Amino acid sequence: MTTLKGNAAAQATRHLVCVGASAVDGTDFPDADQACSVLARKPSLLDYKSAETSEECHAVDQQNIADVFGEINGEAVRTNFRRDNSCNVGTWDELKSLLGTITEE
């Protein structure tokens, strides 16, 4: 997973390798066992699609993107999560064990 903050001003790439609910060698992910456990229970979390901008989703000034790619249960995964509107921020916050916590400066 690559996380871009502030229009790529700060970039971090992390690797999460799981066997079941446990992290294994090759992982450099904070709280890796917790993230593996979350994915083992609900791999569909990575099926997320960014929310459309609507009256319910107010724009926010957070240009953060998490680009997630790899494989889960033998299926290819390629998706991204954004913090560009209030709906997407809420989804990111629900997945913070996978995406990390963002602190705005």
Side-chain angles (χ1 to χ4, degrees):
M1 174 181 354
T2 299
T3 305
L4 304 172
K5 180 179 177 185
N7 206 14
Q11 176 178 328
T13 300
R14 301 178 306 202
H15 300 91
L16 178 63
V17 183
C18 305
V19 173
S22 300
V24 296
D25 286 342
T27 296
D28 60 0
F29 207 86
D31 301 322
D33 285 331
Q34 181 182 2
C36 288
S37 178
V38 167
L39 286 176
R41 283 191 318 270
K42 195 168 181 185
S44 63
L45 288 172
L46 296 182
D47 294 340
Y48 170 75
K49 302 290 185 222
S50 292
E52 295 292 325
T53 301
S54 72
E55 291 179 16
E56 296 174 11
C57 302
H58 305 285
V60 296
D61 189 24
Q62 295 184 22
Q63 299 303 312
N64 301 293
I65 301 169
D67 188 27
V68 181
F69 52 94
E71 185 177 300
I72 189 164
N73 297 330
E75 298 290 326
V77 171
R78 181 67 190 241
T79 190
N80 64 65
F81 298 84
R82 299 176 177 273
R83 292 181 64 91
D84 57 349
N85 67 45
S86 59
C87 295
N88 290 334
V89 167
T91 299
W92 184 302
D93 290 347
E94 288 176 31
L95 298 173
K96 65 184 168 190
S97 65
L98 300 174
L99 304 176
T101 302
I102 297 294
T103 55
E104 293 299 320
E105 298 167 359

